[in-house]
């Protein structure tokens, strides 16, 4: 992780636990998810039909798509239920004090 | 056995003090329902093995039992806000339960009214503010009414509510959302019988889900649940003296109960159990107190382990949870008080033993079931329900000790479920039916007799 470039994207105060917060980096929407296990970042568009996950709901570590009900694990982006088949892209996150950083490049 | 030892079938009881005798020594007023006794002899014929292992019997349950039985699908707190929903699967059937704008809940078959696609695939919590079929994009409002049909011009025959989601009967009791797939089913209250009155002092809606563990078991759902319907197995399976003199009640076709006292047992009830353990000599009150994990407290003359343990637990819960249970009887605090609701649900009104169970077939596998354990902790007065935990899912080979949230219960469940595979395999090499104790296993017989009514009279799903 150390050789990745982390960029400050939000303040922890913006995202109460159990909530999500959508940011834009260039033309990419990224969803920050504050679960009990920590803050995680995944692509905001569902891999099934490109609905915005920010209009869905975070339940535990699952993000639920509002359109067809696909579920993903926010910790890894992994698909938990159909109709999605591909994982959401997941971004490394660092939290330092009140600052949330994510690494955009591979 | 001589006939003199077996007078009228069902009249014999374990020797020594009964549960009622123990309850009479309670330090508080015991709620009237716990003092009731409702036993009736229901027969002593063997149960045919086929009820547990035959695919034909299982298939008939799918057609006649599950589409007609009330069953809890989830808790109210699983869907706290408008648009929250929950998917509950039973056998091949899937039900979607949704929280409406007005705070009520409705349930629907989880299936598209166009060409029958399952709408939400995952079981458990979902979010469906505008549920949309992944096949052609038909969508519905939360109340099940059609929201949009793409290319409506081609469907002039969808008129009025013809293509609304199919409603499923849905009622709430004790914070549990129950469903029934039969639109003409009798109301849930008919089914619950005495339960609302018996749970009035400690309403289950004022409890939170402290733990939820869902395990796959290698046995038919009835084999699995019947391992929990009597305390007769406690001596051999759990190496425990408690349970040999438990009380068994059958209140109706749908509701039965056992009360199995903790911290008190009858040594004479163990007279013909193997060995002298707990009988000669019996456990002292002081040893029983240690058995209840109360260490370093010497009993004064006249004090009993039950009274002292119950008081310690009252004080501990008051400090830990901010819940006032001072008026709760020793029995409510300590004992295993287990109500069974036909066909597959168990509810405990107790404090130390506060679980809810549900046993379901695992898909279409005769020999596999899903066992949900909920530990329901009292919620302080006025407190809102916190978000319920995601279930911890355990496979057949996993131990309950991998779910640390179960605490002391975990090794007990390992013991209970350790026999299931042996019984399943044993039944397949048995020519003889299953024999039941007239008293201690009467609840099992009651379930089978009610099951027969559903198998004969239940309305087929289609």
């Amino acid at each position: 992780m150390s050789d990745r470039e982390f960029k400050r994207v939000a303040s922890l105060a913006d995202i109460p636990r159990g909530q999500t917060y959508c940011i834009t980096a260039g033309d990419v929407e990224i969803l920050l998810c504050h679960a009990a296990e920590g803050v995680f970042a995944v692509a905001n568009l569902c891999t099934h039909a490109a609905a915005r996950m920010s209009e869905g709901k975070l339940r535990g570590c699952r993000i639920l798509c509002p359109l067809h009900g696909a579920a993903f694990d926010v910790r890894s982006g992994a698909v938990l239920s159909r109709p999605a088949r591909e994982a959401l892209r997941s971004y490394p996150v660092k939290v330092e004090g009140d600052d949330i950083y994510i690494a955009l490049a591979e | 056995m001589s006939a003199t030892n077996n007078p009228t079938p069902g009249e014999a009881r374990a020797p020594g003090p009964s549960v009622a005798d123990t309850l009479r020594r309670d330090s508080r007023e015991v709620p009237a329902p716990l003092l009731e006794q409702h036993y009736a002899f229901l027969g002593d014929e063997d149960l045919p093995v086929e009820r547990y292992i035959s695919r034909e019997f299982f298939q008939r349950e799918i057609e006649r039992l599950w589409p007609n039985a009330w069953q809890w699908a989830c808790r109210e707190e699983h869907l706290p806000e408008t648009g929250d929903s929950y998917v509950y699967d039973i056998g091949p059937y899937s039900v979607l339960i949704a929280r409406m704008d007005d705070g009520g809940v409705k349930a629907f078959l989880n299936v598209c009214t166009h060409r029958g696609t399952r709408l939400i695939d995952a079981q458990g919590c979902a979010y469906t503010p505008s549920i949309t079929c992944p096949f052609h994009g038909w969508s519905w409002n939360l109340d099940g009414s059609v929201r949009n049909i793409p290319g409506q011009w081609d469907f002039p025959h969808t008129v009025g509510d013809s293509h609304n989601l199919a409603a499923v009967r849905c009622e709430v009791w004790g914070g549990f959302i129950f469903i029934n797939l039969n639109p003409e089913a009798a109301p849930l209250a008919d089914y619950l019988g005495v339960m609302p009155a018996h749970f009035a002092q400690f309403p289950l809606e004022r409890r939170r889900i402290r733990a939820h563990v869902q395990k796959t078991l290698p046995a038919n759902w009835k084999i699995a649940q019947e391992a929990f319907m009597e305390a007769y197995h406690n001596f051999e399976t759990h190496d425990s003296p408690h349970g040999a003199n438990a009380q068994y009640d059958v209140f109706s076709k749908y509701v039965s109960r056992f009360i199995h006292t903790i911290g008190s047992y009858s040594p004479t009830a163990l007279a013909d159990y193997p060995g002298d353990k707990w009988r000669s000599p019996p456990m002292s009150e002081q040893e029983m107190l240690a058995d209840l994990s109360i260490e370093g407290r010497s009993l004064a003359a006249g004090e009993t382990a039950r009274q002292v343990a119950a008081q310690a637990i009252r004080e501990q819960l008051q400090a830990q949870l901010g819940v006032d249970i001072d008026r709760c009887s020793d029995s409510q605090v300590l004992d295993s008080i287990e109500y069974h609701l036909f066909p597959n649900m168990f509810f405990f009104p107790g404090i130390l033993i506060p679980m809810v169970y549900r046993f379901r077939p695992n898909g279409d596998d005769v020999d596999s079931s899903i066992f949900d354990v909920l530990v329901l902790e009292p919620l302080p007065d006025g407190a809102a329900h916190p978000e319920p935990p995601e279930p911890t899912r355990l496979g057949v080979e996993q131990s309950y000790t991998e779910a640390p949230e179960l605490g002391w219960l975990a090794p007990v469940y390992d013991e209970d479920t350790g026999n299931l595979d042996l019984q399943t395999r044993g039944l397949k090499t048995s020519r003889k039916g299953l024999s039941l104790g007239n008293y201690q296993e009467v609840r099992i017989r009651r379930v089978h007799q009610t099951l027969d009514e559903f198998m004969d009279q239940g309305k087929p799903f289609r």
Side-chain angles (χ1 to χ4, degrees):
Chain A
M1 292 249 288
S2 58
D3 54 348
R4 287 201 177 103
E5 194 182 331
F6 279 86
K7 185 180 161 195
R8 186 187 180 284
V9 290
S11 156
L12 200 54
D14 294 334
I15 323 175
R17 201 156 94 173
Q19 302 291 312
T20 61
Y21 186 81
C22 186
I23 59 155
T24 308
D27 56 358
V28 181
E29 291 181 19
I30 296 172
L31 191 68
L32 301 174
C33 304
H34 191 172
E37 287 84 346
V39 178
F40 304 95
V42 292
N44 189 40
L45 299 188
C46 183
T47 56
H48 168 240
R52 285 200 161 81
M53 302 305 288
S54 52
E55 292 167 13
K57 199 152 196 183
L58 181 65
R59 296 300 300 263
C61 275
R62 294 194 300 162
I63 184 81
L64 305 169
C65 179
L67 194 54
H68 302 104
F72 302 86
D73 189 324
V74 297
R75 293 170 295 189
S76 61
V79 178
L80 297 176
S81 81
R82 290 178 292 180
R85 296 186 180 281
E86 267 179 57
L88 292 173
R89 182 167 169 193
S90 164
Y91 299 87
V93 175
K94 272 199 311 196
V95 178
E96 291 177 357
D98 186 51
D99 297 318
I100 301 172
Y101 298 84
I102 67 172
L104 290 165
E106 284 297 330
Chain B
M1 282 280 167
S2 68
T4 52
N5 286 340
N6 184 21
T8 310
E11 274 193 4
R13 295 290 179 273
S18 66
V19 166
D21 293 333
T22 304
L23 265 50
R24 271 194 282 276
R25 296 198 303 271
D26 204 293
S27 69
R28 302 284 191 281
E29 185 182 351
V30 176
L34 291 184
L35 299 172
E36 289 182 27
Q37 297 188 43
H38 279 266
Y39 168 80
F41 175 67
L42 296 178
D44 57 9
E45 307 79 17
D46 281 359
L47 296 178
V49 170
E50 289 69 28
R51 301 178 75 86
Y52 297 92
I53 62 172
S54 110
R55 167 144 288 282
E56 290 69 32
F57 194 89
F58 181 87
Q59 193 54 41
R60 197 165 171 90
E61 289 177 344
I62 294 292
E63 288 162 10
R64 307 272 179 151
L65 169 66
W66 300 110
N68 292 287
W70 282 104
Q71 49 208 293
W72 67 261
C74 62
R75 295 270 300 168
E76 287 234 60
E77 58 264 38
H78 281 119
L79 44 168
E81 294 166 1
T82 301
D84 288 342
S85 50
Y86 196 94
V87 175
Y88 169 70
D89 287 359
I90 177 71
Y93 314 114
S94 184
V95 176
L96 178 71
I97 299 151
R99 178 74 65 186
M100 303 290 111
D101 293 323
D102 65 2
V105 286
K106 285 191 173 176
F108 309 99
L109 294 181
N110 181 17
V111 56
C112 178
T113 52
H114 172 214
R115 279 168 59 188
T117 303
R118 176 164 294 201
L119 292 170
I120 302 293
D121 189 44
Q123 290 194 57
C125 293
Y127 181 59
T128 54
S130 58
I131 184 167
T132 303
C133 177
F135 196 177
H136 301 89
W138 285 36
S139 62
W140 295 265
N141 299 305
L142 272 179
D143 64 0
S145 59
V146 171
R147 182 189 187 98
N148 186 48
I149 295 176
Q152 172 74 63
W153 60 268
D154 206 20
F155 293 90
H157 43 296
T158 60
V159 288
D161 57 7
S162 67
H163 286 68
N164 287 359
L165 296 179
V168 168
R169 290 283 299 283
C170 176
E171 293 192 41
V172 177
W173 174 72
F176 288 89
I177 297 176
F178 286 76
I179 59 100
N180 193 316
L181 290 164
N182 180 352
E184 279 111 44
L188 177 64
D190 291 5
Y191 218 76
L192 293 173
V194 299
M195 290 190 58
H198 283 215
F199 281 74
Q201 193 179 3
F202 247 95
L204 295 180
E205 57 268 36
R206 292 305 301 162
R207 295 197 180 210
R208 64 174 293 189
I209 306 174
R210 166 57 68 189
H212 183 178
V213 178
Q214 192 176 74
K215 193 175 194 297
T216 307
L217 298 178
N220 182 270
W221 68 275
K222 298 187 297 299
I223 293 177
Q225 84 163 357
E226 288 166 18
F228 294 83
M229 296 189 79
E230 38 79 10
Y232 175 44
H233 69 277
N234 286 13
F235 184 93
E236 197 66 31
T237 296
H238 300 306
D239 195 27
S240 163
H242 298 105
N245 56 342
Q247 176 181 318
Y248 298 86
D249 300 292
V250 174
F251 292 103
S252 70
K253 284 198 273 193
Y254 308 117
V255 178
S256 70
R257 173 179 77 179
F258 75 40
I259 303 177
H260 142 212
T261 54
I262 305 288
S264 143
Y265 73 99
S266 163
T268 50
L270 301 173
D272 56 359
Y273 282 59
D276 286 339
K277 204 171 175 186
W278 304 304
R279 187 157 56 84
S280 181
M283 272 169 99
S284 66
E285 287 289 320
Q286 191 68 53
E287 285 169 330
M288 265 188 289
L289 189 63
D291 199 46
L292 285 160
S293 304
I294 311 282
E295 305 284 353
R297 165 74 159 80
S298 296
L299 290 175
E303 281 187 326
T304 67
R306 278 173 69 78
Q307 289 168 1
V308 170
Q311 188 53 29
I313 290 164
R314 286 187 195 98
E315 288 164 13
Q316 190 188 334
L317 286 188
Q318 173 73 44
Q320 262 178 17
L321 307 175
V323 179
D324 181 8
I325 55 165
D326 190 58
R327 70 208 153 91
C328 276
S329 66
D330 302 341
S331 182
Q332 284 172 292
V333 173
L334 294 174
D335 292 338
S336 180
I337 307 167
E338 181 196 86
Y339 286 77
H340 181 260
L341 181 62
F342 182 86
N344 65 336
M345 300 159 276
F346 297 74
F347 303 87
F348 293 70
I351 302 294
L352 185 64
I353 305 186
M355 289 82 75
V356 167
Y357 303 152
R358 177 180 63 193
F359 296 84
R360 283 178 288 169
N362 183 13
D364 67 352
D365 189 344
V366 181
D367 297 327
S368 177
S369 51
I370 299 169
F371 174 26
D372 286 274
V373 177
L374 272 57
V375 178
L376 291 188
E377 186 177 87
L379 197 58
D381 289 344
H385 276 282
E387 184 175 334
E390 282 282 303
T392 298
R393 294 190 171 84
L394 299 175
V396 170
E397 300 300 331
Q398 285 180 283
S399 161
Y400 275 101
T401 57
E402 294 177 54
E405 62 269 38
L406 288 176
W408 65 274
L409 291 166
V412 179
Y413 288 137
D414 276 346
E415 291 167 357
D416 281 316
T417 56
N419 294 325
L420 298 177
D421 174 55
L422 296 174
Q423 197 184 359
T424 297
R425 288 190 289 147
L427 286 174
K428 291 182 180 180
T429 185
S430 173
R431 291 199 182 97
K432 187 191 167 304
L434 291 78
S435 299
L436 299 176
N438 287 338
Y439 181 64
Q440 299 177 93
E441 293 170 326
V442 69
R443 303 169 77 204
I444 296 173
R445 187 175 299 283
R446 180 63 262 179
V447 167
H448 282 267
Q449 291 181 349
T450 305
L451 175 58
D452 280 341
E453 291 185 15
F454 278 73
M455 297 292 255
D456 291 342
Q457 301 154 30
K459 186 180 169 200
F461 180 73
R462 251 177 228 102

